[in-house]
Amino acid sequence: MTTPLLSVENLSVTFNHHQTVVDDISFVIYPGETFALVGESGSGKSITALSVLRLMPNNAKIKAHAINLQGDNLIKRAEFELCKIRGRRIGLIFQDPMSSLNPVMTIGSQIEEVLNIHFSLPKKAVKQLVLQLLQQVEIPEPEQRLKDYPHQLSGGQRQRVMIAIALAGQPDLLIADEPTTSLDVTIQAQILALLKTIQQQTGMALWLISHDLALISTMADRVAVMQQGKIVETGLTKILFNQPQHPYTRKLLKALPSMQSCLTNTPKEKPPLLQVNNFYCYYPIRKGLFKRIVDHVRAVDGVSFNIQQGKTLALVGESGCGKTTLGKSLLNLILDGSGEVILNGINLNKLTGETLRQQRANIQIVFQDPFSSMNPRMLVGDIIAEGLRALHPEISAAERKASVAQLLQQVDLPTDSALRYPHEFSGGQRQRICIARALAVNPKLIICDEPTSALDVSVQAQIIQLLKTLQEEKGLSYLFITHDLAVVAEIADEIAVMYQGKIVEYGTVQQVLTQPEHAYTKKLLAAVPILTIE
């Protein structure tokens, strides 16, 4: 590898003439290799990729000595010339396929759009190529999926469509920006294997942008580590992970959750706080002119488990297995559930009205996406105090204000955060705000629904440590819903593995992670990316 495919020399990006987000960086990508750019959110990874393609807003100023694509300096190209390069010579897979795909266009039409822009082909040939691309990315029943819209596909299938669109132009370089961040471990493994296979078939170079070091260790040939807009370390993957030179690289590696954590956990038996017995949640399937019920979707199918006081039960499984449905049903946020949900000896499913509302103070929830779970027009202080106003109206405004300040301190945020809006915070800080909101009414149990899935490893480690500290201080119990088994090993005492609405394996963390019995649990464990250090 002597002649680079892409050579970036002294790239800087500044917003509003003063905020530097990419600071004089240089790197190369060779033909056919997998190059990884890693770092925390806000380090400038995605901005770097978008700058190479000149896909920046008007308030951004890009400065570079050169951005050479096989000798063609992109920094000197006019916009209409770049349009012929984007999607053709360089493909891009965005992080969130749902927000990147057009919701009012079929997936077939969206792939056709790329082919029609970059190639002069007969209509029949275009249709055939679209079908071939869907087959290449292993979309099931591709002929039928051509007329589907993005919302009709699962997260993994939408990501495959994004890959098909990026591959349609037959690029020399494919940029994959966090392509598996919110996907289950098994779907993630499938997407990564797919990218590797396509790379081998086409000979294209792959530029991976990620904060998942375990994933990078199995995929990349070379790695560049980015911190606060600068590249602080670059090297061959094995050498960099075995002998990290920069303190920031060592910090990232240290923050990575480990499956070995479960070996040191020694759970002790305590009285059950929550008992769930034979719980069901079925959704009716209606068909025909009169919308008669012809069948049911068995989202939760006869589930039973206990959570001890001051302990954590992890509920793991793939998307669509019923995890989140179960969590919301326990709070009566979904009204189709039936069965016993006994909290401190009280069956919540037999309560209604004011009695049920008062019991909700004992069980709270932290959602997966903190930004969408908060009202963007409300100040953080009002968001945290909302539960106090609803469930404890007797508390005065001054007492609420003092309580909010105390809660912000407990989650390691400054007290003046109360006077700011959610968009003014990072992802990790927003998740801390949601935890403070859940703590406001002094619950006994908190349902944590994928609270760390989209966070960087260092921020993820901070949130896990915060939850563990709060558990020790307040005696909280957690139902921790996740697909990240490494995180489970760090925080949980017991695991329930959920598959197609049923719990197929249940036991201590050590039992389930080191001696799995069910084939599905073994499949999940086999799909977990492991940091490879030799």
Side-chain angles (χ1 to χ4, degrees), residues 296-330:
H296 290 83
V297 175
R298 292 165 173 76
V300 181
D301 197 5
V303 163
S304 299
F305 61 86
N306 295 337
I307 300 179
Q308 299 173 37
Q309 293 179 2
K311 294 295 180 181
T312 300
L313 172 69
L315 188 64
V316 303
E318 296 172 298
S319 293
C321 71
K323 306 187 303 292
T324 298
T325 299
L326 174 58
K328 290 181 178 179
S329 297
L330 298 180

Side-chain angles (χ1 to χ4, degrees), residues 381-382 385-405:
D382 294 330
E386 195 172 19
L388 289 170
R389 284 195 297 271
L391 296 173
H392 298 288
E394 72 281 0
I395 295 177
S396 67
E399 288 173 320
R400 279 199 305 270
K401 186 177 180 181
S403 180
V404 167

Side-chain angles (χ1 to χ4, degrees), residues 310 465-476 478:
Q465 187 55 52
L466 172 63
L467 290 170
K468 289 164 76 172
T469 302
L470 291 169
Q471 187 172 51
E472 291 169 7
E473 291 175 353
K474 298 176 175 291
L476 291 167
Y478 297 129

